[in-house]
Amino acid sequence: SAVISQKPSRDICQRGTSLTIQCQVDSQVTMMFWYRQQPGQSLTLIATANQGSEATYESGFVIDKFPISRPNLTFSTLTVSNMSPEDSSIYLCSVSGTGNEQFFGPGTRLTVL
Amino acid sequence: KQEVTQIPAALSVPEGENLVLNCSFTDSAIYNLQWFRQDPGKGLTSLLLIQSSQREQTSGRLNASLDKSSGRSTLYIAASQPGDSATYLCAVMDSSYKLIFGSGTRLLVRP
């Protein structure tokens, strides 16, 4: 199984600002995924990040709002831009392991005031 | 469009009971199905992974079954303990390797 860390673990931000979330994996992986979990809801996929190419965004999510970087096979960042209170969520990154088993990071709890 | 449903939404049982959580999905063309546990405010812990060609997987007190043709999976927890209290999420992986999650079952095991 992969060990995944995320920074920060939580943050409280002001409306209109941006926050960059980091995701670090202890092994090289091809695909990394970013999810959002709004309060009381299940997880929704934001985008898939492949090293060396542009991230692929799901319906309802756009690059200007959620820019993603994937500089190497063990690291990715997700930026939440021009935040509003509706962006308050837990943001999680995940990777695929053997048999496409998914492993998740501990999440970043974001509160926007 | 794949939709995943979990029943019940919440469950409260006394310690020691055996229990079953249900998951259903609308499109049987799945790559695999995975059960996760999520503690409040935390990330997800993978419990069991069932490939589309498999019928069940077991880990300790947990057993998960998959009936792909009927679009159903169950998670069986034997001899429940207070430490099992958490939200249990079912997710299917579609043919494009994307996970689609159910809304979860919140489990409370009372001492």
Side-chain angles (χ1 to χ4, degrees):
Chain A
S1 65
V3 177
I4 305 169
S5 60
Q6 286 186 234
K7 290 182 182 179
S9 58
R10 58 177 60 221
D11 207 342
I12 301 173
C13 301
Q14 295 297 318
R15 180 195 301 259
T17 62
S18 298
L19 176 71
T20 296
I21 302 168
Q22 300 178 7
C23 179
Q24 179 77 50
V25 188
D26 68 341
S27 58
Q28 294 184 341
V29 294
T30 303
M31 296 166 72
M32 296 179 76
F33 305 88
W34 286 98
Y35 288 83
R36 180 176 74 181
Q37 187 176 31
Q38 294 177 300
Q41 304 294 315
S42 192
L43 280 75
T44 302
L45 179 65
I46 298 172
T48 302
N50 293 326
Q51 195 268 335
S53 64
E54 292 286 330
T56 303
Y57 289 82
E58 297 301 302
S59 176
F61 298 96
V62 294
I63 188 171
D64 290 346
K65 176 67 175 178
F66 297 102
I68 289 171
S69 78
R70 183 80 200 274
N72 57 52
L73 291 173
T74 64
F75 187 79
S76 178
T77 67
L78 170 75
T79 299
V80 187
S81 303
N82 188 24
M83 289 184 285
S84 67
E86 292 71 35
D87 294 319
S88 297
S89 298
I90 299 175
Y91 292 86
L92 302 107
C93 67
S94 76
V95 302
S96 289
T98 303
N100 279 306
E101 184 173 8
Q102 297 285 301
F103 299 99
F104 282 79
T108 295
R109 181 184 288 272
L110 171 62
T111 301
V112 183
L113 303 178
Chain B
K1 178 186 173 184
Q2 179 75 269
E3 293 183 359
V4 181
T5 304
Q6 291 187 245
I7 295 173
L11 185 61
S12 178
V13 300
E15 181 176 6
E17 276 205 3
N18 303 322
L19 54 99
V20 175
L21 308 182
N22 296 291
C23 172
S24 62
F25 47 96
T26 55
D27 186 349
S28 62
I30 63 170
Y31 191 83
N32 60 37
L33 183 145
Q34 198 165 351
W35 283 93
F36 296 90
R37 168 187 173 136
Q38 185 175 32
D39 293 287
K42 301 295 180 62
L44 277 65
T45 300
S46 177
L47 297 174
L48 290 165
L49 171 71
I50 311 177
Q51 301 293 348
S52 61
S53 59
Q54 298 175 324
R55 298 283 294 184
E56 68 176 345
Q57 285 289 326
T58 299
S59 176
R61 293 182 294 109
L62 305 180
N63 175 276
S65 68
L66 173 64
D67 184 342
K68 201 172 73 161
S69 61
S70 67
R72 294 181 181 183
S73 176
T74 61
L75 178 66
Y76 176 83
I77 302 177
S80 58
Q81 303 171 357
D84 294 331
S85 298
T87 296
Y88 290 80
L89 294 163
C90 164
V92 299
M93 178 172 283
D94 67 14
S95 55
S96 59
Y97 304 105
K98 297 176 185 175
L99 273 187
I100 298 96
F101 282 84
S103 53
T105 294
R106 294 188 311 278
L107 173 66
L108 174 64
V109 181
R110 308 186 305 271

